[in-house]
Amino acid sequence: IAGRDWPWHRLLNLVLHGISVAFFYALARRVLRDAHGGGMQPDWIAFLATALFALHPAVVYAEAYLAARPLLLQGMFGMIALWAVLRAAEESWRGVWCLAPIAYVGAMLASPAALGLPLGLAVAVYAVTPARRWGPAWAGVAACVVIGLAWCVWWAMQGAADAVASGYVAALGDNAWRWLRGVGYGLAPITAWMAIDMPEPNPAAPTWLAVVSVMVYVALVVIALRALRRPAWRAAGAAGGILAALSFTEIVFPGAWSAFAPWRSYPWIAFVCLAAAWTLARLRAPIVLALGSTAIIACAVLALLTLRTFSSHVAVWDHAIRAADIFGAQAKDARLYVNRGTLHRSQGHTLAAVEDYGRALTLHPDFPRALRGRAQAHIDERRYPLALRDLQRLLEVEPEQFGTHADIGLVYMQTGKYAEAMKSFNTALAKGVKEPKLYLNRGLALLQMGGLGAAPRALDDIERALALDPDYALAHFNRGLIFDQAASAGMRLRDAVSPEIMRIVAKQNIARACQLGHRPACDVERSRAAEQPKVEEMNEAPLRLTPEKLREQGLIKGR
C-alpha cells in the first residue's frame, strides 16, 4: 500500500503497536481482575503494566526498525487471540472465540515463532476460569491447537526435522540462557546493556550455565502453574505462564526455523511488564504510585535514548539535507542522500535507503555510488530484477569497473540462472578482477550446475579464494562441506587415500570457519560432534595422521 514511502511504514508500525497496546490493556484487566495487592485497584495495575509495555525500549526497537514488522504483527495478532479467548469465557461474549483461530493464523503467517501461542491461550483461560471444564473459550484454544499441529505436520514434511536431530541438549541450553537474558533485559532495560544488541557469547554459553538455565526455565514454569491455583497469585502465574508459553517452542525446538534471539522479544515483553506491575502492586498504594511513575518515566527516557542511539548519525545528514533544500539542492548534493541512504541500509532500513538512493539519482542520474547502493538495497529486499537493472546501468556508466560483472553474477545466482552467473563471473575474471568472493561464488555456481561431479573444479575456485584470503570463513566452511559430501558419496578429492581422511579435512575446515566467527559452521560442528567417528576407533588399522602427511595428500594448504 505504501510502496517505498518509508515514513508511512513508520506510521503503520505505530498503528500496529497501538492496536497491540489497546488489546493488551483489555486482557490485562481481565487477568488482574482479582488482584488487589496493597489496595491498588486492578484497572490501575493494568494501566501500569500497559504503560511499561508501550514505552519499553525493546518495543521501541521493534517499532523503529521496519525490518521488525513481523514482530509487531505477531504481537498484535497474539494480543487479539488472547483477548478473544478471555472474552469468550464471559456469557455475553461467547461467540467471540472464533476470532482466536483467525488471529492465530495471522500470527503464524507473520512468524513461525508464534507456534507456542495456544499454550499461552490455555494458561490465560485457566487463570480466568479455573473451575470450568469446557466452554467457548476452550473451543478457541482447541481450534488453535489443531492449527498449530497442522503446521507442525507440514513443517516435518518439509524435512526440517533434521535441523534438531543432533546437538539438541546444547542448543536447548543456549536458547534457555538467551531467553533468561531477554527476560532480565525486560525487567531492567538499561540501554547500555541492551540484550537486543548484545553479541552472542563466543564461545557459546558453558555447559554448566546451559544446564542451570534449563533448570531455571523449568522452575519458573512450575512456579507459574502452581501460582494459578492461588487467587491472590493467579495474575502473576498467568503472566509468567504466558511468558514461558510464548517462547516454549523456540526454546524446546532449537533450530526449527531460526536460532532464538532476545531481540525478538516484542510479543512477550508485555507479560514481563505485567508481572513487574503485579509485583509493585503488592506494596501500599502511595509507594506503588511513586515507583510506578518512576518506572514509566525511566522507560520513556530509555526509549528516547534508544531512538537517539539508532538515529544520531542519520541526524547529521538530515541537517545537511535540510540546509541543501533551503538553498536548492543541486547535483553535487546527491552525495548527501547517498550517505544517509548508506546509514539507513546499515541499520536495516532498506526501504528508506532505496528512497534516498532514488532521490540522489533524481539529482544526479548517473551517480555510480547511488546506483550501486540502490542495487545492494534491492538485493537485501530480494528484488533481484530491480537490482539487475541498476547494476547493468552502473556497468554502462562505469564500464571500467569490472567488479560490477561479479555483482551481476551474484544476482543471477540468487535467481537460479547459473549459466548466466558463470558468464558474468568469467567475464570479471577475464577483466582482471581477483577477489576471494568472486572465486567462491563461481565455485558455488559450478556446484549448483554440475552437482558433486563438478566438485573438483569448484574446489579449485574455493582454494583460490583461500589463497587470496586465508581467513575467509565462508570459503573454509564450503570447502569443508564439499569434502564431507564427497566422502559420503564415495568420491575421492585431491587423491585422498580414504573417506575418513576427507572427513577429517572437512572437520578441520569447518572448525576453522567457526574459529573465524562463522556461526553456521559452529552449529554444524556442534551438531556433528557426537556423530563424528574417531579415526582410532575404525575397523581398519589405526591411522596416525600428522600435518605433514595431510600436506603430502594435498589436503592442507599453507600453515
Side-chain angles (χ1 to χ4, degrees):
I1 296 174
R4 295 193 299 271
D5 197 357
W6 63 272
W8 289 103
H9 283 280
R10 287 188 181 280
L11 179 60
L12 178 57
N13 278 10
L14 287 172
V15 171
L16 293 174
H17 178 54
I19 295 173
S20 298
V21 168
F23 276 96
F24 174 69
Y25 176 69
L27 70 90
R29 289 182 63 203
R30 282 153 182 80
V31 171
L32 293 164
R33 190 163 46 191
D34 299 325
H36 293 280
M40 196 80 172
Q41 291 298 318
D43 286 358
W44 283 107
I45 305 175
F47 174 80
L48 173 59
T50 305
L52 293 174
F53 168 58
L55 299 174
H56 198 283
V59 169
V60 170
Y61 178 94
E63 289 179 81
Y65 274 85
L66 301 183
R69 175 72 54 77
L71 302 178
L72 294 177
L73 291 171
Q74 178 191 345
M76 182 190 73
F77 285 121
M79 297 300 175
I80 293 173
L82 285 162
W83 172 85
V85 295
L86 292 184
R87 271 296 198 177
E90 302 176 5
E91 292 295 330
S92 58
W93 288 77
R94 295 168 66 87
V96 80
W97 71 268
C98 298
L99 187 59
I102 297 173
Y104 180 52
V105 170
M108 287 294 294
L109 290 174
S111 172
L115 185 61
L117 181 58
L119 291 175
L121 299 179
V123 172
V125 174
Y126 182 76
V128 175
T129 58
R132 295 189 180 184
R133 298 293 181 184
W134 181 256
W138 286 110
V141 175
C144 291
V145 169
V146 171
I147 294 171
L149 290 175
W151 184 89
C152 288
V153 171
W154 172 85
W155 170 73
M157 292 175 63
Q158 306 304 308
D162 294 339
V164 296
S166 58
Y168 176 79
V169 175
L172 175 67
D174 286 348
N175 282 351
W177 168 235
R178 295 186 189 106
W179 183 78
L180 291 174
R181 289 170 65 213
V183 173
Y185 173 65
L187 293 172
I190 306 302
T191 305
W193 299 338
M194 290 178 65
I196 50 178
D197 283 341
M198 278 185 181
E200 284 295 321
N202 190 17
T207 303
W208 69 267
L209 183 57
V211 173
V212 170
S213 299
V214 173
M215 294 173 62
V216 171
Y217 174 76
V218 173
L220 290 176
V221 172
V222 172
I223 291 171
L225 294 177
R226 291 180 64 86
L228 290 174
R229 302 175 185 175
R230 301 174 59 183
W233 289 74
R234 193 169 291 150
I242 295 172
L243 170 63
L246 292 180
S247 306
F248 174 79
T249 52
E250 284 191 284
I251 294 174
V252 177
F253 297 107
W257 48 86
S258 61
F260 181 86
W263 70 268
R264 293 204 297 272
S265 60
Y266 178 87
W268 48 267
I269 200 72
F271 299 98
V272 175
C273 296
L274 180 59
W278 178 88
T279 303
L280 284 178
R282 301 294 91 197
L283 306 174
R284 297 181 61 184
I287 300 176
V288 175
L289 181 62
L291 293 179
S293 300
T294 302
I296 292 173
I297 294 172
C299 272
V301 171
L302 290 171
L304 290 174
L305 291 175
T306 300
L307 284 176
R308 185 172 182 180
T309 300
F310 292 156
S311 60
S312 59
H313 297 296
V314 177
V316 174
W317 298 109
D318 287 341
H319 179 75
I321 288 171
R322 282 195 295 268
D325 288 340
I326 292 174
F327 296 101
Q330 302 177 16
K332 65 180 182 179
D333 297 319
R335 62 183 179 83
L336 301 178
Y337 287 103
V338 169
N339 290 336
R340 190 173 70 174
T342 302
L343 281 173
H344 278 313
R345 180 171 172 257
S346 69
Q347 295 181 349
H349 301 306
T350 50
L351 292 174
V354 168
E355 180 69 16
D356 273 346
Y357 290 132
R359 291 182 181 180
L361 290 169
T362 300
L363 296 172
H364 189 342
D366 295 331
F367 193 16
R369 285 182 59 202
L371 286 168
R372 185 176 298 280
R374 191 168 69 173
Q376 295 299 327
H378 283 316
I379 291 174
D380 293 342
E381 289 289 310
R382 300 182 181 180
R383 297 172 177 172
Y384 299 119
L386 295 176
L388 186 60
R389 184 185 64 186
D390 281 341
L391 289 172
Q392 289 173 338
R393 177 57 184 161
L394 178 62
L395 198 58
E396 295 174 3
V397 173
E398 290 188 331
E400 72 282 359
Q401 292 295 328
F402 305 126
T404 305
H405 291 285
D407 294 333
I408 292 174
L410 180 58
V411 172
Y412 278 131
M413 273 189 67
Q414 298 294 337
T415 56
K417 298 179 179 180
Y418 300 111
E420 290 86 345
M422 286 296 298
K423 291 179 182 178
S424 295
F425 292 147
N426 289 334
T427 300
L429 289 169
K431 297 290 186 180
V433 179
K434 302 294 182 184
E435 294 182 359
K437 68 177 182 179
L438 173 56
Y439 282 111
L440 174 63
N441 288 334
R442 190 175 73 163
L444 296 178
L446 281 168
L447 279 177
Q448 293 291 338
M449 294 175 64
L452 279 178
R457 294 167 57 202
L459 198 57
D460 287 340
D461 274 343
I462 293 175
E463 288 174 348
R464 289 191 185 102
L466 287 172
L468 293 172
D469 183 2
D471 294 332
Y472 194 2
L474 190 57
H476 280 290
F477 180 59
N478 281 281
R479 185 172 187 265
L481 292 182
I482 290 175
F483 270 104
D484 187 65
Q485 293 172 10
S488 299
M491 293 179 60
R492 296 289 188 270
L493 296 176
R494 298 289 182 266
D495 298 324
V497 295
S498 69
E500 287 72 22
I501 291 180
M502 294 173 61
R503 289 192 177 97
I504 292 174
V505 176
K507 183 177 180 179
Q508 289 176 338
N509 277 267
I510 292 174
R512 178 57 178 157
C514 177
Q515 182 184 2
L516 292 169
H518 188 61
R519 184 162 182 175
C522 297
D523 293 338
V524 170
E525 186 182 37
R526 183 173 58 185
S527 65
R528 294 183 178 179
E531 300 175 2
Q532 284 287 352
K534 296 181 180 180
V535 176
E536 291 80 2
E537 296 175 356
M538 293 191 304
N539 294 329
E540 304 173 5
L543 294 175
R544 300 298 178 184
L545 299 174
T546 64
E548 290 73 19
K549 289 185 178 180
L550 290 175
R551 288 193 183 94
E552 290 173 4
Q553 292 292 326
L555 298 175
I556 294 184
K557 302 272 185 181
R559 57 183 177 85

XYZ file of all heavy atoms in Angstrom, residues 331-400:
570
model
N 23.134 18.889 -8.172
C 23.668 17.551 -8.451
C 24.734 17.157 -7.430
O 24.821 15.992 -7.027
C 24.244 17.502 -9.866
N 25.528 18.116 -6.981
C 26.592 17.791 -6.026
C 26.038 17.345 -4.678
O 26.741 16.695 -3.892
C 27.512 18.995 -5.838
C 26.824 20.197 -5.186
C 27.773 21.371 -5.012
C 27.081 22.547 -4.314
N 28.010 23.688 -4.119
N 24.777 17.703 -4.394
C 24.173 17.327 -3.125
C 23.663 15.890 -3.122
O 23.176 15.409 -2.090
C 23.025 18.281 -2.778
C 23.500 19.716 -2.578
O 24.566 19.887 -1.951
O 22.821 20.641 -3.053
N 23.777 15.219 -4.249
C 23.332 13.820 -4.302
C 24.099 12.969 -3.302
O 23.565 11.990 -2.763
C 23.500 13.271 -5.717
N 25.347 13.344 -3.043
C 26.156 12.550 -2.110
C 25.562 12.559 -0.713
O 25.757 11.594 0.058
C 27.576 13.093 -2.066
C 27.671 14.521 -1.566
C 29.080 15.082 -1.586
N 29.111 16.460 -1.111
C 29.157 16.808 0.166
N 29.217 15.860 1.095
N 29.157 18.071 0.530
N 24.838 13.644 -0.340
C 24.216 13.694 0.982
C 23.171 12.589 1.123
O 23.105 11.896 2.136
C 23.571 15.066 1.210
C 24.503 16.284 1.119
C 23.718 17.574 1.309
C 25.619 16.185 2.160
N 22.339 12.455 0.082
C 21.332 11.397 0.111
C 21.981 10.016 0.098
O 21.498 9.084 0.756
C 20.388 11.547 -1.081
C 19.421 12.692 -0.956
C 19.621 13.888 -1.648
C 18.292 12.593 -0.142
C 18.734 14.946 -1.543
C 17.401 13.648 -0.023
C 17.616 14.818 -0.721
O 16.737 15.863 -0.605
N 23.060 9.875 -0.649
C 23.742 8.577 -0.698
C 24.296 8.224 0.677
O 24.172 7.080 1.140
C 24.868 8.598 -1.751
C 25.752 7.369 -1.623
C 24.272 8.662 -3.151
N 24.911 9.207 1.347
C 25.474 8.933 2.676
C 24.385 8.563 3.677
O 24.549 7.635 4.481
C 26.253 10.147 3.170
C 27.533 10.365 2.391
O 28.083 9.436 1.807
N 28.019 11.596 2.354
N 23.266 9.284 3.622
C 22.172 8.940 4.547
C 21.570 7.582 4.188
O 21.228 6.791 5.057
C 21.091 10.026 4.528
C 20.060 9.844 5.641
C 19.090 10.994 5.729
N 18.176 11.015 4.588
C 17.150 11.858 4.467
N 16.940 12.762 5.417
N 16.370 11.825 3.414
N 21.456 7.321 2.880
C 20.930 6.023 2.467
C 21.816 4.877 2.910
O 21.330 3.804 3.306
N 23.134 5.093 2.864
C 24.059 4.048 3.308
C 23.889 3.770 4.794
O 23.915 2.610 5.229
C 25.505 4.476 3.016
O 25.654 4.719 1.605
C 26.488 3.406 3.444
N 23.690 4.822 5.589
C 23.441 4.614 7.016
C 22.118 3.900 7.251
O 22.016 3.004 8.092
C 23.440 5.958 7.743
C 24.815 6.549 8.057
C 24.675 7.951 8.613
C 25.556 5.668 9.045
N 21.091 4.308 6.496
C 19.802 3.624 6.630
C 19.952 2.134 6.351
O 19.426 1.283 7.079
C 18.787 4.226 5.652
C 18.142 5.482 6.147
N 17.619 5.602 7.412
C 17.914 6.677 5.532
C 17.104 6.812 7.566
N 17.270 7.484 6.448
N 20.681 1.808 5.294
C 20.838 0.393 4.934
C 21.613 -0.368 6.003
O 21.279 -1.502 6.347
C 21.549 0.278 3.590
C 21.747 -1.153 3.139
C 22.259 -1.249 1.712
N 22.615 -2.630 1.417
C 23.844 -3.118 1.380
N 24.872 -2.304 1.593
N 24.070 -4.381 1.124
N 22.647 0.264 6.566
C 23.434 -0.415 7.595
C 22.620 -0.674 8.858
O 22.920 -1.592 9.618
C 24.674 0.422 7.946
O 24.297 1.616 8.617
N 21.563 0.122 9.090
C 20.721 -0.039 10.270
C 19.475 -0.867 9.986
O 18.619 -1.028 10.850
C 20.317 1.330 10.818
C 21.496 2.135 11.348
C 21.071 3.476 11.920
O 19.936 3.900 11.756
N 21.991 4.152 12.591
N 19.361 -1.413 8.768
C 18.231 -2.275 8.457
C 17.052 -1.583 7.825
O 16.041 -2.209 7.528
N 17.152 -0.263 7.593
C 16.053 0.481 6.969
C 16.213 0.451 5.447
O 16.521 1.464 4.816
C 16.039 1.931 7.448
C 15.893 2.081 8.932
N 14.872 1.508 9.644
C 16.653 2.722 9.847
C 14.991 1.804 10.918
N 16.068 2.540 11.070
N 15.996 -0.695 4.837
C 16.264 -0.809 3.404
C 15.296 0.016 2.572
O 15.669 0.547 1.528
C 16.207 -2.277 2.974
O 14.993 -2.871 3.452
C 17.385 -3.053 3.533
N 14.044 0.135 3.020
C 13.087 0.938 2.253
C 13.494 2.411 2.257
O 13.425 3.095 1.226
C 11.681 0.784 2.836
C 11.041 -0.600 2.684
C 9.728 -0.660 3.426
C 10.825 -0.919 1.211
N 13.922 2.899 3.422
C 14.393 4.280 3.498
C 15.650 4.465 2.656
O 15.845 5.507 2.019
C 14.667 4.664 4.948
N 16.514 3.443 2.644
C 17.742 3.525 1.847
C 17.410 3.626 0.362
O 17.985 4.439 -0.362
C 18.624 2.310 2.115
N 16.486 2.794 -0.102
C 16.084 2.834 -1.518
C 15.537 4.208 -1.875
O 15.828 4.767 -2.946
C 15.039 1.737 -1.812
C 14.399 1.943 -3.184
C 15.695 0.365 -1.746
N 14.751 4.784 -0.972
C 14.186 6.113 -1.228
C 15.292 7.165 -1.357
O 15.266 8.010 -2.260
C 13.237 6.485 -0.090
C 12.568 7.838 -0.227
C 11.557 7.879 -1.357
O 11.144 6.814 -1.843
O 11.178 9.004 -1.766
N 16.290 7.129 -0.459
C 17.371 8.112 -0.512
C 18.232 7.935 -1.755
O 18.630 8.920 -2.390
C 18.231 8.009 0.747
C 17.696 8.866 1.887
O 16.829 9.720 1.619
O 18.135 8.683 3.027
N 18.537 6.690 -2.105
C 19.312 6.465 -3.325
C 18.531 6.963 -4.546
O 19.114 7.522 -5.482
C 19.635 4.977 -3.482
C 20.633 4.453 -2.481
C 20.388 3.268 -1.778
C 21.829 5.120 -2.223
C 21.300 2.773 -0.858
C 22.741 4.640 -1.310
C 22.472 3.460 -0.625
O 23.383 2.976 0.284
N 17.220 6.779 -4.515
C 16.403 7.273 -5.626
C 16.433 8.790 -5.729
O 16.493 9.347 -6.832
N 16.403 9.480 -4.586
C 16.474 10.950 -4.607
C 17.835 11.412 -5.114
O 17.930 12.415 -5.843
C 16.220 11.488 -3.201
C 14.797 11.291 -2.727
C 14.577 11.893 -1.348
N 13.222 11.687 -0.872
C 12.754 12.112 0.290
N 13.567 12.795 1.099
N 11.518 11.872 0.655
N 18.882 10.690 -4.730
C 20.217 11.038 -5.228
C 20.270 10.894 -6.745
O 20.847 11.742 -7.442
C 21.261 10.149 -4.573
N 19.653 9.854 -7.273
C 19.664 9.640 -8.723
C 18.778 10.643 -9.444
O 18.989 10.929 -10.627
C 19.220 8.206 -9.033
C 20.236 7.128 -8.624
C 19.610 5.750 -8.720
C 21.478 7.215 -9.508
N 17.797 11.194 -8.742
C 16.999 12.269 -9.347
C 17.864 13.514 -9.566
O 17.743 14.201 -10.591
C 15.805 12.609 -8.444
O 14.992 11.435 -8.289
C 14.969 13.724 -9.043
N 18.741 13.801 -8.599
C 19.633 14.947 -8.734
C 20.799 14.651 -9.669
O 21.270 15.538 -10.390
C 20.185 15.336 -7.353
C 19.157 15.838 -6.317
C 19.822 15.998 -4.955
C 18.539 17.145 -6.776
N 21.272 13.410 -9.653
C 22.453 13.028 -10.425
C 22.171 11.641 -11.020
O 22.529 10.621 -10.432
C 23.668 12.998 -9.509
C 24.975 12.829 -10.224
N 25.082 12.349 -11.521
C 26.269 13.081 -9.826
C 26.344 12.295 -11.875
N 27.088 12.736 -10.873
N 21.523 11.564 -12.190
C 21.024 10.285 -12.727
C 22.087 9.212 -12.914
O 21.760 8.027 -12.893
C 20.408 10.694 -14.070
C 20.081 12.140 -13.914
C 21.154 12.703 -13.041
N 23.336 9.594 -13.107
C 24.380 8.600 -13.366
C 25.389 8.514 -12.223
O 26.563 8.199 -12.436
C 25.112 8.938 -14.680
C 24.198 8.821 -15.878
O 23.252 8.010 -15.815
O 24.420 9.540 -16.871
N 24.941 8.793 -11.013
C 25.844 8.772 -9.864
C 26.155 7.312 -9.520
O 25.277 6.557 -9.063
C 25.191 9.468 -8.681
C 26.131 9.779 -7.548
C 27.513 9.757 -7.709
C 25.630 10.120 -6.302
C 28.369 10.054 -6.675
C 26.468 10.421 -5.242
C 27.847 10.387 -5.441
N 27.396 6.855 -9.707
C 27.712 5.432 -9.507
C 27.424 4.930 -8.092
O 26.893 3.840 -7.912
C 29.208 5.357 -9.840
C 29.452 6.521 -10.755
C 28.543 7.605 -10.250
N 27.777 5.727 -7.083
C 27.552 5.276 -5.708
C 26.076 5.048 -5.428
O 25.701 4.107 -4.712
C 28.117 6.294 -4.720
C 29.639 6.296 -4.592
C 30.081 7.317 -3.560
N 29.505 7.041 -2.244
C 29.362 7.942 -1.292
N 29.742 9.206 -1.503
N 28.855 7.618 -0.142
N 25.232 5.891 -6.001
C 23.792 5.736 -5.788
C 23.272 4.492 -6.505
O 22.442 3.744 -5.957
C 23.059 6.976 -6.278
N 23.738 4.259 -7.716
C 23.306 3.065 -8.449
C 23.729 1.796 -7.733
O 22.936 0.865 -7.576
C 23.888 3.090 -9.868
C 23.252 4.087 -10.840
C 24.102 4.215 -12.100
C 21.833 3.651 -11.198
N 24.982 1.766 -7.279
C 25.460 0.568 -6.595
C 24.747 0.382 -5.260
O 24.356 -0.737 -4.898
C 26.966 0.651 -6.378
C 27.570 -0.621 -5.780
C 29.074 -0.533 -5.667
N 29.709 -0.386 -6.967
C 29.937 -1.407 -7.799
N 29.565 -2.626 -7.457
N 30.537 -1.198 -8.952
N 24.572 1.484 -4.518
C 23.904 1.380 -3.223
C 22.464 0.918 -3.356
O 22.006 0.067 -2.586
N 21.747 1.477 -4.355
C 20.354 1.057 -4.534
C 20.281 -0.405 -4.973
O 19.373 -1.137 -4.560
C 19.641 1.957 -5.532
C 18.130 1.733 -5.554
C 17.401 2.798 -6.318
N 17.672 2.736 -7.750
C 17.049 3.484 -8.663
N 16.134 4.376 -8.275
N 17.340 3.390 -9.948
N 21.223 -0.830 -5.812
C 21.246 -2.232 -6.225
C 21.432 -3.142 -5.012
O 20.751 -4.173 -4.880
C 22.352 -2.460 -7.248
N 22.351 -2.783 -4.113
C 22.578 -3.602 -2.928
C 21.343 -3.610 -2.025
O 21.003 -4.640 -1.425
C 23.791 -3.083 -2.155
C 25.113 -3.204 -2.894
C 25.470 -4.644 -3.228
O 25.141 -5.559 -2.489
N 26.127 -4.846 -4.358
N 20.670 -2.466 -1.912
C 19.453 -2.421 -1.100
C 18.362 -3.292 -1.712
O 17.615 -3.973 -0.990
C 18.969 -0.978 -0.968
N 18.251 -3.280 -3.043
C 17.281 -4.161 -3.699
C 17.622 -5.626 -3.453
O 16.726 -6.458 -3.269
C 17.255 -3.880 -5.205
C 16.502 -2.638 -5.580
N 15.279 -2.317 -5.029
C 16.790 -1.639 -6.469
C 14.843 -1.182 -5.559
N 15.736 -0.750 -6.420
N 18.909 -5.952 -3.438
C 19.318 -7.332 -3.152
C 18.916 -7.708 -1.725
O 18.436 -8.820 -1.471
C 20.839 -7.496 -3.360
C 21.182 -7.374 -4.858
C 21.314 -8.835 -2.820
C 22.670 -7.378 -5.142
N 19.092 -6.764 -0.790
C 18.667 -7.023 0.585
C 17.182 -7.361 0.650
O 16.760 -8.201 1.449
C 18.942 -5.792 1.471
C 20.429 -5.523 1.637
O 21.226 -6.447 1.379
O 20.783 -4.385 2.001
N 16.385 -6.693 -0.178
C 14.941 -6.905 -0.192
C 14.523 -8.007 -1.163
O 13.339 -8.249 -1.360
C 14.228 -5.599 -0.585
C 14.277 -4.522 0.471
C 13.398 -4.868 1.657
O 12.224 -5.220 1.474
O 13.923 -4.806 2.790
N 15.509 -8.663 -1.790
C 15.273 -9.751 -2.744
C 14.481 -9.278 -3.962
O 13.709 -10.033 -4.547
C 14.554 -10.922 -2.068
C 15.350 -11.504 -0.917
C 14.670 -12.692 -0.289
N 15.448 -13.215 0.831
C 15.092 -14.258 1.571
N 13.964 -14.887 1.313
N 15.861 -14.660 2.568
N 14.693 -8.050 -4.328
C 14.094 -7.518 -5.553
C 15.147 -7.587 -6.650
O 15.718 -6.579 -7.069
C 13.631 -6.074 -5.323
C 12.539 -5.950 -4.267
C 12.266 -4.500 -3.930
N 11.170 -4.370 -2.984
C 10.824 -3.227 -2.400
N 11.509 -2.129 -2.641
N 9.816 -3.192 -1.558
N 15.393 -8.793 -7.099
C 16.527 -9.042 -7.977
C 16.389 -8.395 -9.359
O 17.386 -7.895 -9.895
C 16.764 -10.541 -8.094
C 17.086 -11.175 -6.759
C 16.271 -12.170 -6.222
C 18.186 -10.758 -6.016
C 16.561 -12.736 -4.988
C 18.481 -11.316 -4.782
C 17.657 -12.304 -4.271
O 17.940 -12.854 -3.044
N 15.215 -8.373 -9.980
C 15.127 -7.678 -11.276
C 15.497 -6.199 -11.183
O 16.175 -5.660 -12.071
C 13.653 -7.876 -11.675
C 13.246 -9.131 -10.984
C 13.964 -9.094 -9.671
N 15.058 -5.530 -10.095
C 15.399 -4.117 -9.925
C 16.902 -3.954 -9.661
O 17.534 -3.009 -10.167
C 14.599 -3.518 -8.771
C 13.075 -3.453 -8.971
C 12.406 -2.920 -7.718
C 12.729 -2.578 -10.164
N 17.479 -4.865 -8.884
C 18.918 -4.809 -8.632
C 19.696 -5.006 -9.929
O 20.682 -4.297 -10.188
C 19.309 -5.874 -7.609
N 19.247 -5.952 -10.757
C 19.935 -6.217 -12.019
C 19.869 -4.996 -12.937
O 20.863 -4.660 -13.598
C 19.303 -7.432 -12.700
C 19.987 -7.951 -13.956
C 21.420 -8.370 -13.643
C 19.203 -9.115 -14.548
N 18.737 -4.321 -12.930
C 18.605 -3.125 -13.773
C 19.602 -2.045 -13.350
O 20.266 -1.427 -14.197
C 17.174 -2.584 -13.676
C 16.882 -1.399 -14.590
C 15.493 -0.853 -14.342
N 15.368 -0.314 -12.989
C 14.210 0.117 -12.477
N 13.104 0.050 -13.190
N 14.173 0.607 -11.258
N 19.735 -1.821 -12.036
C 20.677 -0.806 -11.560
C 22.121 -1.202 -11.847
O 22.954 -0.355 -12.224
C 20.490 -0.581 -10.055
C 19.298 0.303 -9.739
O 18.836 1.021 -10.653
O 18.817 0.274 -8.589
N 22.445 -2.480 -11.693
C 23.817 -2.924 -11.945
C 24.174 -2.832 -13.423
O 25.310 -2.463 -13.774
C 24.002 -4.357 -11.444
C 24.018 -4.526 -9.917
C 24.012 -6.002 -9.538
C 25.238 -3.832 -9.309
N 23.241 -3.156 -14.274
C 23.516 -3.030 -15.717
C 23.676 -1.571 -16.117
O 24.521 -1.242 -16.968
C 22.389 -3.696 -16.509
C 22.404 -5.214 -16.387
C 21.203 -5.872 -17.030
O 20.158 -5.243 -17.221
N 21.323 -7.158 -17.355
N 22.892 -0.700 -15.503
C 23.071 0.733 -15.759
C 24.426 1.197 -15.224
O 25.121 2.001 -15.869
C 21.944 1.518 -15.091
C 22.058 3.034 -15.227
C 22.130 3.460 -16.666
N 22.343 4.896 -16.810
C 22.795 5.472 -17.905
N 23.094 4.733 -18.980
N 22.976 6.782 -17.956
N 24.828 0.700 -14.066
C 26.129 1.047 -13.496
C 27.256 0.604 -14.415
O 28.259 1.312 -14.569
C 26.274 0.385 -12.116
C 27.597 0.594 -11.388
C 27.839 2.073 -11.099
C 27.618 -0.211 -10.085
N 27.083 -0.536 -15.054
C 28.105 -1.026 -15.979
C 28.224 -0.120 -17.203
O 29.315 0.063 -17.752
C 27.769 -2.454 -16.406
C 28.900 -3.286 -17.021
C 30.070 -3.393 -16.059
C 28.388 -4.670 -17.388
N 27.105 0.470 -17.605
C 27.148 1.424 -18.724
C 27.840 2.718 -18.306
O 28.587 3.323 -19.093
C 25.731 1.733 -19.195
C 24.998 0.531 -19.802
C 23.553 0.850 -20.114
O 23.148 2.025 -19.907
O 22.822 -0.055 -20.553
N 27.599 3.145 -17.064
C 28.186 4.394 -16.577
C 29.675 4.230 -16.316
O 30.481 5.116 -16.629
C 27.451 4.858 -15.300
C 28.155 6.069 -14.688
C 26.004 5.192 -15.628
N 30.051 3.103 -15.730
C 31.449 2.830 -15.394
C 31.879 1.484 -15.985
O 32.008 0.479 -15.269
C 31.644 2.812 -13.876
C 31.524 4.173 -13.213
C 31.919 4.123 -11.747
O 31.758 3.064 -11.112
O 32.406 5.143 -11.224
N 32.081 1.428 -17.272
C 32.452 0.134 -17.901
C 33.794 -0.391 -17.421
O 34.063 -1.591 -17.545
C 32.481 0.473 -19.392
C 32.674 1.951 -19.457
C 31.986 2.515 -18.260
N 34.630 0.484 -16.858
C 35.948 0.020 -16.407
C 35.896 -0.606 -15.015
O 36.895 -1.184 -14.566
C 36.929 1.196 -16.403
C 36.722 2.240 -15.319
C 35.585 3.198 -15.620
O 34.966 3.060 -16.700
O 35.307 4.099 -14.798
